[in-house]
Amino acid sequence: MTPLDSAAPISDALARLAAVIDSRQPARGGNPDESYVARLLHKGPDAFLKKIGEEATEVVLAAKDADHGGDRQKIVNEVADLWFHCMVALSHYGLSPADVVGELTRREGMSGIEEKSLRKVRAREAEERAD
């Protein structure tokens, strides 16, 4: 199976998880006493953004450990935690994994250098329009 063959199941899994996270929104009755996601969302951005920072650091540490013979599964575990908390943030801001996949698709086939350069041009144009 190639990575492209598994794209639909991955997308489906992310969509299912996003639906669960969305259902935990306080506005949809998410109970912070019963749900970790509802608790994070109830506390607001500082809570889930802090977790994103912590999980990103844990990904880095797991990768560094793997470079020295550590368990590579820890990278997977920490990336899963990072993605999860990023999905909580996406939900809070009314976004979804599909928005991220759409952006990655837009960038497909473009060099990272070219993509970054285009973002800078667009940012300058936006600043000029705002002035």
Side-chain angles (χ1 to χ4, degrees):
M1 180 182 284
T2 70
L4 291 178
D5 294 335
S6 63
I10 292 168
S11 179
D12 292 347
L14 292 174
R16 286 191 306 273
L17 179 56
V20 171
I21 290 169
D22 287 345
S23 76
R24 302 298 200 272
Q25 287 283 352
R28 293 191 178 102
N31 184 342
D33 295 327
E34 298 175 1
S35 164
Y36 173 70
V37 171
R39 188 175 318 130
L40 281 175
L41 291 167
H42 179 76
K43 288 180 179 179
D46 285 350
F48 56 77
L49 296 174
K50 179 180 176 187
K51 287 301 295 182
I52 290 171
E54 291 171 5
E55 298 303 340
T57 299
E58 291 174 11
V59 169
V60 170
L61 294 173
K64 296 298 273 180
D65 287 347
D67 283 339
H68 300 284
D71 184 1
R72 292 173 9 137
Q73 181 61 40
K74 288 184 179 181
I75 299 171
V76 172
N77 297 345
E78 297 302 342
V79 169
D81 291 346
L82 177 60
W83 284 14
F84 173 81
H85 288 92
C86 287
M87 289 177 66
V88 171
L90 287 170
S91 177
H92 173 80
Y93 294 108
L95 300 166
S96 74
D99 296 307
V100 177
V101 170
E103 177 60 16
L104 291 170
T105 300
R106 183 191 69 76
R107 296 178 186 186
E108 189 175 359
M110 184 183 306
S111 82
I113 294 169
E114 178 185 4
E115 196 281 328
K116 187 174 182 177
S117 176
L118 283 173
R119 274 190 282 154
K120 287 181 181 180
V121 168
R122 288 185 182 133
R124 267 186 262 134
E125 289 172 350
E127 284 178 17
E128 290 170 3
R129 282 192 300 269
D131 290 339

